[in-house]
Amino acid sequence: MDTTHGTPPVSSAPSPDAPVSDSSSSPESTARTASRRRFFQYVGGGVGLAALMTATGCDSEGAMTPPAEEPVVLDFSSDFGVLNYAYALEQLEAAFYAEAAANFYGDPSSVEGRYFQDLAAHEALHRDFLAAAIPELGGTVIPGLTVDFSSVDFSDRGAVLGVAKTLEDTGVSAYNGAGIYLQNPDLLTIAGKIVSVEARHAASVRSILNPGSADFAGDDVVDPMTGLDVAVPPAEVLSAVAGTGFVTTEIVVENA
């Protein structure tokens, strides 16, 4: 994995009408610009993730792209690298919660069972939203990741909640750490809407694991001196993800 650190762009961020990473004025570029404008108007107007995916032909039943056969490269020199990074993380979370909900350790109709169903639905929506947004903005979506949860005993409540805590904490810190690489402020707003949901998930899982405690916003994730959540660089996040063994696809980080 390439962990070379680059300097994030410092120029003023483009508007929704400007290309995300292509400044040409060809007919193809003009069409992409119009598509981006339509996308931001759609999302900014509060239509919602599910409606966007309906309009772009996506569903939440499975992986959005074929599995990767070569290493997946995430190039953070453009917004598409950041979006694909988020897409990779959402693929992992969606796959885990789909399996956890389908093989729930307790009564699926219980409060906790319905909670896992909600988590599975949220993560699938995030995954599918990003898979739809990237091509809508003129980018190329990375292939689907190959995941392996064979090490997880889905009949063990503690094991499942422990993995959920790890994934949610990792997801929040990953979004926080990748925000500096986004050049378009509208994309930063969208990322903020997703990470805020991930933070709700993280706090809920922590509260279930240790009810009646301060773990929902523990000092290990929220700095008691600043009140700010942890932010972790992309290369460090993906190294930790690789260490879990849950993702078998090789992921290479560039310019981050």
Side-chain angles (χ1 to χ4, degrees), residues 81-160:
V82 186
L83 294 177
N84 271 311
Y85 173 58
Y87 176 49
L89 295 171
E90 296 297 347
Q91 284 188 60
L92 173 60
E93 289 188 298
F96 170 74
Y97 283 116
E99 192 157 347
N103 302 282
F104 187 62
Y105 48 75
D107 179 3
S109 64
S110 66
V111 171
E112 206 160 298
R114 294 196 300 273
Y115 174 66
F116 267 85
Q117 293 167 25
D118 286 344
L119 287 174
H122 292 170
E123 302 300 359
L125 283 167
H126 293 170
R127 178 201 64 202
D128 295 354
F129 168 72
L130 289 163
I134 293 167
E136 183 73 10
L137 293 170
T140 300
V141 182
I142 61 171
L145 304 181
T146 300
V147 297
D148 180 6
F149 297 114
S150 59
S151 63
V152 181
D153 182 357
F154 284 95
S155 66
D156 185 324
R157 179 178 183 269
V160 173

Side-chain angles (χ1 to χ4, degrees), residues 23-118:
S23 60
S24 66
S25 57
S26 67
E28 292 81 4
S29 177
T30 301
R32 286 195 296 270
T33 299
S35 178
R36 293 176 187 124
R37 182 184 303 114
R38 183 173 63 253
F39 171 81
F40 286 118
Q41 289 174 341
Y42 207 68
V43 176
V47 176
L49 304 187
L52 173 65
M53 289 183 294
T54 298
T56 53
C58 296
D59 60 54
S60 57
E61 296 303 316
M64 298 301 301
T65 49
E69 297 181 357
E70 302 290 337
V72 169
V73 177
L74 299 175
D75 184 354
F76 283 75
S77 64
S78 81
D79 286 342
F80 295 123
V82 186
L83 294 177
N84 271 311
Y85 173 58
Y87 176 49
L89 295 171
E90 296 297 347
Q91 284 188 60
L92 173 60
E93 289 188 298
F96 170 74
Y97 283 116
E99 192 157 347
N103 302 282
F104 187 62
Y105 48 75
D107 179 3
S109 64
S110 66
V111 171
E112 206 160 298
R114 294 196 300 273
Y115 174 66
F116 267 85
Q117 293 167 25
D118 286 344

